C-alpha cells in the first residue's frame, strides 16, 4: 500500500479516547450483579412476575420492573450465560461462536421443496447477543399500520408517534466522529434518540474509502433519496449506528445493559431452564412449569406471567398450556382451555434472494480487506490501532450504510400495478386451507394496508447494504407478503421443537416483487457509474434475463429467513385473529401477557432488535 493510502486511512481512524471522554468511565463487569440462581431450591416461594425468556425483551422488562425494589422478578432462560469472549467482539458482525439454537423448517413447496435453518439466539441476552448489531428502526408508516388495525381513534399509542418515546428510551446515541462525518457526509439527528439508556448505539471510528462510489451510485437511479437519520422513520439512503458501547467498542446488548451491574437482589435469573408451560386456574395464569437438569419444577407468580420466549417458542408455550387453535391442540392431545385461533399463525420473517454481482474495481480503491486477512500489512496496521486505542477497522461490525428503498424507487413503472393486484386479490386463498376465518380476516386487513404502503415513498420495501470491499449485498425483502405458522408437534408437543412453516411465496405478488428487487440490483451495478468498476454477475447469471425466467429462479435463490421472526402472537383485534390486546394481555385470560416480537402484527421494514427493545419498554409501562 502506498504512503498516501496509509495517510488517508490514518486520518479516517479517530481516537476512541476522544470519542469516549463524553461518556464517563466504563463500569467493570466485576461489580455486584443481580442474583444468578443456580438451583431451583434457591428460588423464592413466589415472585411478583415470572418472565419466560431472558432475551432482548425479557431482560429489558425485568430491568424496568425491578427498578421498584419491592417488586420481585424471576427470569427463566432456556440458554446459558455465554462466554463474554464469544459475544462481545464486534469485528465483522461478531464471533459466530455465540450459543444458538437451530431448528429446521418444513419443506417449502414454492422453494423446490427445500428446508431451511431456523436460527435463534440461545443464551441469556437472546438474539441481541447473536445478531449483526445493526440498529435499524424501520418506517414510521410501519408502526402506523399497527395502530390502524385497531382504528385511528383506538390505537392506544401503538403507532409511530406513540412508540417514538420508547425508541428513544431504549437506546442512547453516540454520534459519529467529526472527521468521519465530514469525510463521508454522514448525517444524523440526535432528536430521534435517547441519552440515558444502558443500550448504546455507536458509530465505528473507521470507514473504508470504497464506500464513496457505492453510496454515490444510489442517487443516480430515479426515486432514491437521502434520509437525515436512521431513526427518523423515513425511507432512503442512510447511515445507521452499531449496537456497541462507546468506551470498549464491544457489543451492547440486553445482558450487559439490562442485567449485569444492576446489583438488585429482587432480580433473579435461572439459566438452562426452559419454560415448559404456563400454569392456569380458570384461565388465570398463576405460575410457570419449567425444566432444569431433566427435572420438572413449578414456580408461582403472584401478579403476572410474562412470555418473552420469542416468535418461535412463545406460541409453543401458549399452545402446550392449552391456549391456541382448537384443531392444533386436539391433534396433539392438549386440552383446550382458551380456543384462540391466532396463536402460532401470522408467522412472518424478512427474506432474501441470492443475487450476487461482484465489483472487481473496488480493489483498486482499497485492498480486499473484508476479513482483514487478504493484506498482511493492512491487518498489522489495523491490529496496532486496535491495541493502542480501540480504533480502526476492528471497530466495524456488519457495516453502517445502506439504501432502504420504497417500492416506488425500486420499480417506478410497476409499483402501482403491483399494488392494484395485491389490493384486488382473494387474499384468504393464499393462506393455509384450514385457516380460521378470523385469521383470514386479519390477513385481508394486513394486505390492504400493505397495498397502500406499496404506493408510498416513505415505506421501506428492500434493503441494499453496501460492503466497501465487495459491493452491495443480496436484496432483502423488508415487507413480507406471505404468512406461515409455528405450531406444536403433535407427535411430542412438549419434547419436540415446534413445526415452523414459512409458507414462502404463497402470495404470488411476493414473487413478482422479488423479481423487481433483482432488476433494481442489476441497474444499480450496470447502469450507474459503478459500471466503470467492471461488474460481474454471479447469480442469477446473465443467461436469465426476462421476468418469467427470473420468477422461476427466485424459487432457487430465495432464503425465507433473514432471522427476524415475528407475528405469532399478534397484537390485533380478536376478530382479526389477534392473540393479545393493546395492553399485550392474552385474550380471554388473566395475568398473562406477551412482551416480545411475537406481538408485532406486521414486520417493520428493519432488523427487529431495536423495535423489540421499544415494545419491551412500552410493555414495562403498561405492566406497572
Amino acid at each position: 500500500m502506498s504512503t498516501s493510502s496509509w495517510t488517508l486511512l490514518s486520518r479516517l481512524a479517530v481516537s476512541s479516547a476522544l470519542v469516549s471522554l463524553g461518556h464517563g468511565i466504563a463500569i467493570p463487569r466485576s461489580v455486584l450483579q443481580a442474583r444468578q440462581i443456580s438451583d431451583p431450591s434457591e428460588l423464592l416461594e413466589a415472585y411478583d412476575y415470572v418472565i419466560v425468556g431472558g432475551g432482548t425483551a425479557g431482560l429489558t422488562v425485568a430491568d424496568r420492573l425491578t427498578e421498584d425494589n419491592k417488586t420481585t422478578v424471576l427470569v427463566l432462560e432456556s440458554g446459558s450465560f455465554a462466554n463474554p469472549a464469544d459475544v462481545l467482539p464486534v469485528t465483522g458482525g461478531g464471533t459466530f461462536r455465540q450459543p444458538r439454537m437451530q431448528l429446521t423448517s418444513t419443506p417449502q413447496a414454492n422453494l423446490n421443496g427445500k428446508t431451511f435453518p431456523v436460527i435463534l439466539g440461545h443464551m441469556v441476552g437472546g438474539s441481541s447477543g447473536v445478531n449483526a448489531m445493526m440498529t435499524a428502526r424501520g418506517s414510521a408508516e410501519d408502526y402506523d399500520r399497527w395502530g390502524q388495525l385497531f382504528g385511528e381513534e383506538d390505537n392506544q399509542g401503538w403507532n409511530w408517534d406513540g412508540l417514538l418515546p420508547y425508541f428513544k428510551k431504549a437506546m442512547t446515541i453516540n454520534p459519529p466522529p467529526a472527521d468521519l462525518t465530514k469525510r463521508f457526509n454522514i448525517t444524523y439527528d440526535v432528536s430521534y434518540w435517547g441519552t440515558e439508556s444502558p443500550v448504546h448505539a455507536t458509530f465505528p471510528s473507521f470507514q473504508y474509502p470504497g464506500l464513496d462510489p457505492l453510496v454515490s451510485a444510489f442517487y443516480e437511479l430515479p426515486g432514491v433519496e437521502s434520509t437525515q437519520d436512521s431513526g427518523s422513520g423515513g425511507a432512503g439512503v442512510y447511515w445507521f449506528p452499531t449496537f456497541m458501547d462507546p468506551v470498549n467498542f464491544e457489543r451492547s446488548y440486553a445482558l450487559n445493559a439490562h442485567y449485569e451491574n444492576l446489583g438488585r437482589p429482587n432480580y433473579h435469573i435461572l439459566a438452562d431452564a426452559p419454560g415448559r408451560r404456563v400454569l392456569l386456574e380458570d384461565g388465570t395464569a398463576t405460575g410457570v412449569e419449567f425444566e432444569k437438569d431433566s427435572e420438572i419444577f413449578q414456580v408461582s407468580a403472584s401478579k403476572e406471567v410474562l412470555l418473552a420466549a420469542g416468535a418461535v417458542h412463545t406460541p409453543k408455550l401458549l399452545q402446550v398450556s392449552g391456549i391456541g387453535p382448537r384443531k392444533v391442540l386436539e391433534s396433539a392431545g392438549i386440552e383446550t382451555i382458551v380456543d384462540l385461533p391466532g396463536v402460532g399463525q401470522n408467522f412472518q420473517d424478512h427474506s432474501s434472494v441470492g443475487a450476487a454481482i461482484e465489483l472487481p474495481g473496488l480493489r483498486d480503491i482499497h485492498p480486499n480487506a473484508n476479513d482483514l486477512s487478504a493484506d498482511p500489512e493492512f491487518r498489522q496496521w489495523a491490529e496496532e490501532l486496535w491495541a493502542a486505542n480501540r480504533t480502526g477497522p476492528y471497530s466495524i461490525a456488519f457495516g453502517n450504510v445502506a439504501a432502504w428503498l420504497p417500492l416506488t424507487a425500486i420499480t417506478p413503472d410497476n409499483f402501482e400495478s403491483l399494488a392494484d393486484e395485491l389490493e384486488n386479490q382473494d387474499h384468504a386463498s393464499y393462506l393455509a386451507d384450514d385457516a380460521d376465518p378470523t385469521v383470514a380476516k386479519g390477513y385481508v386487513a394486513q394486505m390492504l394496508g400493505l397495498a397502500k404502503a406499496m404506493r408510498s415513498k416513505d415505506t421501506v420495501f428492500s434493503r441494499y447494504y453496501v460492503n466497501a470491499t465487495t459491493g452491495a449485498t443480496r436484496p432483502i425483502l423488508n415487507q413480507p407478503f406471505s404468512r406461515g405458522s409455528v405450531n406444536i408437534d403433535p407427535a411430542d408437543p412438549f419434547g419436540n421443537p415446534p413445526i415452523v412453516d414459512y409458507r414462502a411465496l404463497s402470495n404470488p405478488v411476493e414473487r413478482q416483487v422479488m423479481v423487481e428487487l433483482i432488476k433494481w440490483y442489476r441497474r444499480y451495478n450496470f447502469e450507474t457509474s459503478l459500471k466503470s468498476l467492471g461488474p460481474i454477475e454471479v447469480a442469477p447469471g446473465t443467461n436469465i434475463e426476462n421476468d418469467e425466467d427470473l420468477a422461476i429462479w427466485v424459487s432457487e435463490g430465495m432464503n425465507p429467513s433473514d432471522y427476524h421472526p415475528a407475528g405469532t402472537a399478534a397484537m390485533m383485534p380478536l376478530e382479526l385473529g389477534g392473540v393479545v390486546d393493546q395492553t399485550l394481555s392474552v385474550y380471554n385470560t388473566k395475568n398473562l401477557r406477551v412482551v416480545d416480537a411475537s406481538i408485532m402484527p406486521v414486520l417493520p421494514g428493519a432488523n427487529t432488535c431495536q423495535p423489540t427493545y421499544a415494545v419491551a419498554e412500552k410493555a414495562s409501562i403498561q405492566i406497572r
Side-chain angles (χ1 to χ4, degrees), residues 15 24 40 49 59 63 111 156 224 235 274 293 296 330 344 347 364 405 431 439 473 481 486 587 596 600 621:
S15 169
Y49 299 94
L59 296 189
D63 178 0
L111 301 181
Q156 296 185 29
V224 178
D293 298 327
I296 305 300
E330 288 181 346
F347 177 50
D364 297 329
L405 298 182
L431 294 176
V439 172
T473 59
F481 295 77
V486 177
Y587 285 117
D596 59 27
M600 299 179 184
I621 297 298

Side-chain angles (χ1 to χ4, degrees), residues 513-550:
V513 170
M514 281 290 197
V515 169
E516 298 299 330
L517 302 190
I518 297 169
K519 289 160 64 177
W520 190 93
Y521 182 60
R522 285 174 162 176
R523 291 196 297 274
Y524 169 71
N525 283 280
F526 289 99
E527 298 179 17
T528 68
S529 55
L530 295 182
K531 64 185 179 220
S532 66
L533 300 179
I536 300 172
E537 182 166 327
V538 178
T542 55
N543 60 314
I544 299 178
E545 297 181 0
N546 60 46
D547 287 9
E548 291 76 14
D549 290 341
L550 283 171

Side-chain angles (χ1 to χ4, degrees), residues 14-154:
V14 179
S15 169
S16 63
L18 294 176
V19 175
S20 305
L21 286 176
H23 302 285
I25 300 172
I27 300 173
R29 297 189 188 90
S30 60
V31 302
L32 181 64
Q33 296 181 351
R35 189 173 175 199
Q36 296 179 17
I37 302 297
S38 59
D39 187 272
S41 64
E42 302 174 41
L43 295 175
L44 301 180
E45 188 172 316
Y47 290 82
D48 292 318
Y49 299 94
V50 176
I51 301 176
V52 185
T56 312
L59 296 189
T60 301
V61 172
D63 178 0
R64 298 309 185 192
L65 293 179
T66 55
E67 289 174 346
D68 177 357
N69 61 15
K70 295 180 181 178
T71 298
T72 56
V73 173
L74 171 66
V75 177
L76 297 169
E77 166 54 38
S78 65
S80 304
F81 282 92
N83 183 344
D86 293 337
V87 179
L88 297 178
V90 301
T91 307
T95 67
F96 301 97
R97 298 190 301 266
Q98 306 98 311
R100 293 167 168 82
M101 176 183 292
Q102 182 168 316
L103 312 181
T104 301
S105 77
T106 62
Q108 297 299 289
N110 295 315
L111 301 181
N112 301 329
K114 292 183 289 186
T115 61
F116 292 86
V118 182
I119 299 175
L120 310 167
H122 191 224
M123 55 180 283
V124 181
S127 292
S128 71
V130 172
N131 63 25
M133 292 168 276
M134 298 172 65
T135 59
R137 187 173 295 181
S139 308
E141 292 178 346
D142 293 333
Y143 303 100
D144 288 342
R145 279 186 284 143
W146 292 9
Q148 288 162 5
L149 292 167
F150 288 91
E152 296 289 350
E153 304 302 320
D154 188 32

Side-chain angles (χ1 to χ4, degrees), residues 445-527:
Q446 292 177 38
M447 291 302 101
L448 293 178
L450 191 55
K452 183 179 178 181
M454 294 168 79
R455 301 184 177 101
S456 170
K457 67 180 182 62
D458 296 317
T459 295
V460 174
F461 267 79
S462 185
R463 182 195 85 204
Y464 296 87
Y465 158 75
V466 290
N467 182 303
T469 58
T470 58
T473 59
R474 69 195 188 284
I476 304 292
L477 177 63
N478 280 48
Q479 301 290 345
F481 295 77
S482 300
R483 297 292 183 267
S485 61
V486 177
N487 291 319
I488 51 177
D489 185 347
D492 186 354
F494 286 95
N496 288 348
I499 297 172
V500 179
D501 185 0
Y502 292 103
R503 300 193 73 254
L505 298 180
S506 54
N507 190 311
V509 172
E510 188 165 75
R511 186 187 296 271
Q512 296 176 60
V513 170
M514 281 290 197
V515 169
E516 298 299 330
L517 302 190
I518 297 169
K519 289 160 64 177
W520 190 93
Y521 182 60
R522 285 174 162 176
R523 291 196 297 274
Y524 169 71
N525 283 280
F526 289 99
E527 298 179 17

Side-chain angles (χ1 to χ4, degrees), residues 169-187:
K169 184 178 182 181
M171 300 199 69
T172 291
I173 188 67
N174 302 285
D179 64 341
L180 288 189
T181 300
K182 181 178 180 180
R183 167 70 177 80
F184 290 99
N185 192 30
I186 301 175
T187 60

Side-chain angles (χ1 to χ4, degrees), residues 575-603:
E575 63 270 21
L576 297 184
V579 175
V580 301
D581 63 18
Q582 289 158 290
T583 70
L584 306 188
S585 298
V586 177
Y587 285 117
N588 299 326
T589 70
K590 294 181 180 179
N591 300 343
L592 179 62
R593 300 192 209 221
V594 178
V595 297
D596 59 27
S598 304
I599 69 95
M600 299 179 184
V602 292
L603 266 170

